[in-house]
């Protein structure tokens, strides 16, 4: 999720998980790890870290929507 350079024409990204209560229902530990990765790695990367890691990298909005 931090290597989206092929989507450079976009100003930001949005992922929506519909029916979140059923998302990864059979793998609750993995579900928590995925959400934790978004909170601690992916979202901070696109907020600021992209400037230090990617040549010419620019911060972009990245929204994660969880719907039920």
């Amino acid at each position: 999720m931090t290597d989206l350079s092929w989507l450079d024409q976009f100003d930001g990204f949005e992922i929506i998980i519909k029916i979140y209560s059923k998302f990864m229902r059979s793998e609750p530990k993995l579900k928590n790890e995925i959400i934790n990765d978004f909170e601690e790695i992916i979202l901070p990367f696109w907020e600021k870290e992209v400037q230090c890691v990617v040549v010419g990298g620019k911060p972009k909005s990245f929204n994660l929507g969880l719907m039920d």
Side-chain angles (χ1 to χ4, degrees):
M1 299 304 294
T2 58
D3 184 13
L4 299 174
S5 58
W6 53 279
L7 293 172
D8 192 44
Q9 69 270 22
F10 297 105
D11 294 327
F13 311 104
E14 183 170 85
I15 293 177
I16 298 174
I17 300 174
K18 293 184 178 183
I19 314 174
Y20 179 67
S21 60
K22 292 184 180 181
F23 171 70
M24 303 291 293
R25 182 188 295 179
S26 63
E27 297 283 342
K29 183 177 177 184
L30 183 56
K31 177 180 181 174
N32 286 335
E33 288 177 22
I34 290 169
I35 298 304
N36 189 54
D37 283 352
F38 270 100
E39 292 175 348
E40 295 191 14
I41 299 169
I42 299 165
L43 299 178
F45 175 85
W46 285 107
E47 278 182 10
K48 193 169 186 173
E49 292 171 25
V50 66
Q51 297 176 84
C52 302
V53 178
V54 178
V55 174
K58 298 175 186 169
K60 295 186 178 194
S61 66
F62 197 120
N63 297 309
L64 176 63
L66 307 175
M67 300 174 63
D68 246 334

